[in-house]
Amino acid sequence: MTASEQPAAKTDRAHDVLRAERRSLVRMFQPRTVAVIGATETPGSVGRTLLSNLVGSPFGGTVYPVNPKRKSVLGIRAYRTVSEIPDHVDLAVVATPASTVAGVIGECVDSKIGNAIILSAGFKEVGAAGLALEQGILERARAGGMRIIGPNCLGLMNPMTGLNATFAHGTARPGRIAFVSQSGALCTAILDWSFGEQVGFSAFVSIGSMIDVSWGDLIDYLGDDHNTEAILLYMESIGDARSFLSSAREVALNKPIIVIKAGRTPAAAKAAASHTGSLAGSDAVLDAAFERAGVLRVDTIDELFGMAEVLAKQPRPRGPNLTIVTNAGGPGVLATDALLLAGGKLTELEPSSTSGLNEILPGAWSHANPIDILGDATPERFAQAVDIASKDASSDGLLVILTPQDMTEPTQTAERLAALALLGKKPLLANWMGGPMIRAGEDILNRAGIPTFAYPDAAAKAFADMWRYAQNLTELYETPLPSTTSDAPIRREEAAAIIERARIAGRRLMGEVESKQVLAAYAIPVVSTFAASTADEAVGFARQIGYPVVLKLRSATITHKSDVGGVALDLRDDAMVRACRPTFTTSRSRSRPSVGWCCCTASWARVATGAASRESSSSA
């Protein structure tokens, strides 16, 4: 049986609940042997840089250059084809012209190589001819069960083992963040930035055009990787949406998935298409999909890495209320604006908090949130104010802002704040503003697990994003509600009461009227439905609704009413309603149903008024 003939449950990874394919990328990230196809000594070439990176950063495996014109490359014996390599190859990295790649992949499949990274460009991003080349590659790969990253990518690094299968300059530092990007050039920029900021990675992947390995595959792998604590994605197109959403929903419960999605504007979407040959998709749809999958979307690269740091170091907030403690009014105002614009709220200080702050602060303090403790605040005053604010039951998190005024002691204040790194499971963020004067204090806070921000507005927005992320996770397995133009409030208490009555009665199923009452309580449009116990009541409700109407048997014991003839469609006058009797089904059911009908509008059922209507009427 071919792959195309297999049942959907075996070929669609969105349905692979047992994750039969989950570990299929292990040898991609942890190869024991690597073949470099297109290895060369030409200065400045991809093949030379790739081979140099692999042998210059030992990963515990063997590297085999493949070049049909040379006996050795960089002093390492070379082979004409992969079939001549005297060892089983786990990973082939291809850096040959696009026109040759299909043939190369065919040779790899014949040699039982299970994984490949195609660095070469010139495929679907250049048009129909390139797309045809991709299809040829994919057909050969699937015939041999090969997994492929790329084409048109930088490659991948596993800094935890030292693997550098890229043509980037340098190898990423080991760390706990996985970074996956659809842009290879962005990868090189982030990599260079990471060296200066001392940021490390558990995996560093350029995914390219996603001919095979998709976001979902990588999220599955990284979700199982014990070295990865957070997953960052730079995305231009979502690709296999079902696989992405299925994987993200599962992994996001345990590890933050943070995405920056390019292509929001028409011009950017067009640029993305020309870059990787991928369509950007509807931005509003993607926003909704990310939210339902528990994925946090951010707008800038700075936010991408800032949120990874925050979520790795601090607990998620339980609500949107932020308390700001500052020694300068202006930065507090900026933080407030950013917080509210991002969907957060300022904590309304409880009377006990206000009285406690009155005891330890000068009379000129702000007496509100943001808590301005004035420019001459000492480390002791900072610590006392933060301690009181953290105990406010209305507060869900704290932001401490320090500006280096003449009497300020940034380092000593940081030392006092470091002792309060975890405030009753509430997140604590810090903004030490300035330059060299505050660097030592920032280092102390970072070592204590308190995320620091260069600007107060960035810190406040980070808190709001944390709250949004926490909400996404809370709602991850709740049923999404359809959008509605109604301003009707959500009546959760009413819905809960209906459900509770059914539980008290010992019922596992609710009747049609009850079910629709629950839906209506959540502002979900439902067909108008009324419970009638007599023929006169049924006629009265039918007139209220307006003919034609539908009658259904109202029963606590019969679930499928149509199975016992308990549905009458397209009733157009009083006589037709009166002709229906709720007792006609008793002879066809094992237990006596509750006597009565549900009367509802027939507008939804008009398309079904043919045979079904005649059957119901004849049964009646």
Side-chain angles (χ1 to χ4, degrees):
M1 180 181 290
T2 67
S4 61
E5 296 171 333
Q6 291 179 359
K10 292 181 181 293
T11 58
D12 186 348
R13 289 189 295 277
H15 291 159
D16 183 16
V17 295
L18 298 179
R19 292 291 186 263
E21 295 295 321
R22 168 169 285 181
R23 304 306 299 178
S24 63
L25 299 184
V26 171
R27 289 302 166 206
M28 186 83 78
F29 283 84
Q30 302 173 43
R32 294 160 298 194
T33 49
V34 179
V36 180
I37 304 173
T40 177
E41 292 191 354
T42 303
S45 66
V46 171
R48 180 188 176 101
T49 303
L50 171 64
L51 181 60
S52 179
N53 282 342
L54 280 166
V55 299
S57 181
F59 59 93
T62 306
V63 180
Y64 295 99
V66 176
N67 186 318
K69 299 179 180 180
R70 298 184 63 92
K71 293 185 177 180
S72 67
V73 181
L74 298 183
I76 306 170
R77 179 184 173 181
Y79 298 84
R80 289 175 48 82
T81 67
V82 292
S83 62
E84 295 181 4
I85 296 175
D87 197 357
H88 175 74
V89 175
D90 290 328
L91 172 64
V93 188
V94 182
T96 64
S99 59
T100 67
V101 173
V104 167
I105 293 299
E107 293 175 1
C108 291
V109 167
D110 292 341
S111 297
K112 309 297 182 184
I113 298 175
N115 302 281
I117 302 172
I118 301 175
L119 308 183
S120 316
F123 294 94
K124 67 181 176 184
E125 71 274 11
V126 302
L131 180 61
L133 289 176
E134 279 193 7
Q135 293 303 314
I137 293 168
L138 192 57
E139 288 175 5
R140 298 194 181 199
R142 285 182 172 170
M146 172 183 277
R147 303 307 310 272
I148 295 177
I149 287 180
N152 189 18
C153 70
L154 182 74
L156 75 80
M157 299 183 195
N158 183 349
M160 311 308 292
T161 64
L163 176 71
N164 184 354
T166 76
F167 56 94
H169 178 69
T171 302
R173 294 165 51 89
R176 296 295 182 179
I177 298 172
F179 179 61
V180 184
S181 171
Q182 211 164 355
S183 166
L186 183 63
C187 281
T188 60
I190 293 297
L191 180 64
D192 192 52
W193 166 86
S194 71
F195 295 145
E197 295 296 322
Q198 303 292 300
V199 173
F201 298 92
S202 59
F204 198 83
V205 186
S206 167
I207 198 170
S209 297
M210 298 189 299
I211 189 175
D212 172 45
V213 172
S214 66
W215 300 110
D217 294 310
L218 290 170
I219 289 171
D220 280 342
Y221 174 80
L222 296 169
D224 283 343
D225 179 29
H226 68 276
N227 292 314
T228 298
E229 294 180 354
I231 302 171
L232 310 188
L233 309 177
Y234 168 78
M235 179 183 291
E236 292 180 358
S237 64
I238 197 168
D240 186 345
R242 297 181 68 186
S243 173
F244 170 79
L245 294 174
S246 176
S247 300
R249 283 172 65 90
E250 179 178 346
V251 174
L253 286 171
N254 300 309
K255 298 181 181 181
I257 301 176
I258 309 168
V259 61
I260 178 170
K261 170 65 176 66
R264 285 194 157 188
T265 63
K270 183 178 180 180
S274 65
H275 174 206
T276 61
S278 303
L279 295 177
S282 168
D283 198 63
V285 171
L286 288 173
D287 267 341
F290 291 150
E291 182 176 342
R292 288 303 306 160
V295 174
L296 176 62
R297 183 177 188 177
V298 296
D299 298 321
T300 67
I301 295 292
D302 187 55
E303 289 178 348
L304 187 71
F305 284 88
M307 285 309 301
E309 179 187 12
V310 166
L311 292 172
K313 290 181 177 179
Q314 290 288 313
R316 296 190 293 268
R318 298 180 178 179
N321 301 309
L322 178 65
T323 304
I324 301 172
V325 178
T326 177
N327 70 339
V333 173
L334 291 172
T336 299
D337 276 344
L339 174 71
L340 299 181
L341 290 172
K345 297 180 180 179
L346 280 176
T347 304
E348 292 285 343
L349 297 178
E350 295 184 337
S352 59
S353 299
T354 302
S355 61
L357 292 168
N358 281 334
E359 293 179 6
I360 61 111
L361 296 179
W365 79 280
S366 60
H367 292 84
N369 183 21
I371 303 170
D372 187 350
I373 62 176
L374 306 182
D376 62 348
T378 63
E380 179 69 15
R381 190 188 299 173
F382 263 104
Q384 289 177 328
V386 171
D387 184 53
I388 292 171
S390 70
K391 295 174 181 176
D392 192 309
S394 300
S395 177
D396 300 308
L398 287 95
L399 167 60
V400 183
I401 301 173
L402 178 144
T403 60
Q405 302 176 46
D406 188 55
M407 64 290 294
T408 307
E409 299 179 18
T411 304
Q412 292 86 338
T413 302
E415 290 173 346
R416 295 299 303 271
L417 193 61
L420 304 172
L422 291 177
L423 299 171
K425 298 184 179 180
K426 297 178 182 179
L428 173 61
L429 313 181
N431 163 223
W432 257 224
M433 295 186 72
M437 185 176 176
I438 55 91
R439 291 290 179 260
E442 274 192 330
D443 290 341
I444 291 170
L445 294 171
N446 285 324
R447 287 197 300 270
I450 300 175
T452 59
F453 296 82
Y455 305 105
D457 50 353
K461 187 177 186 304
F463 174 83
D465 285 343
M466 291 176 74
W467 163 238
R468 182 157 53 92
Y469 174 71
Q471 278 187 306
N472 288 353
L473 294 188
T474 300
E475 298 170 357
L476 193 55
Y477 289 115
E478 294 181 0
T479 303
L481 302 180
S483 60
T484 175
T485 57
S486 172
D487 293 328
I490 304 300
R491 306 187 303 277
R492 289 184 174 85
E493 295 79 6
E494 179 180 328
I498 295 170
I499 295 170
E500 186 61 22
R501 285 197 296 270
R503 287 176 175 169
I504 292 173
R507 290 187 283 126
R508 300 180 62 184
L509 294 174
M510 292 190 298
E512 180 163 344
V513 175
E514 292 171 309
S515 301
K516 290 181 177 178
Q517 287 173 342
V518 170
L519 295 175
Y522 280 90
I524 298 175
V526 295
V527 174
S528 298
T529 304
F530 300 87
S533 299
T534 67
D536 287 339
E537 285 184 354
V539 168
F541 286 133
R543 291 174 178 174
Q544 180 179 335
I545 295 171
Y547 288 105
V549 298
V550 170
L551 290 186
K552 287 185 178 181
L553 183 67
R554 181 161 53 91
S555 172
T557 58
I558 299 176
T559 303
H560 301 290
K561 311 299 190 294
S562 59
D563 291 348
V564 295
V567 180
L569 305 177
D570 202 27
L571 305 179
R572 296 183 172 274
D573 54 41
D574 294 359
M576 294 181 72
V577 171
R578 291 184 184 279
C580 295
R581 292 289 184 270
T583 56
F584 76 89
T585 59
T586 56
S587 63
R588 300 174 62 182
S589 63
R590 294 183 179 180
S591 58
R592 182 177 179 82
S594 301
V595 177
W597 285 96
C598 291
C599 183
C600 59
T601 178
S603 59
W604 62 273
R606 289 177 181 172
V607 296
T609 58
S613 177
R614 291 190 294 273
E615 177 183 340
S616 297
S617 299
S618 62
S619 297

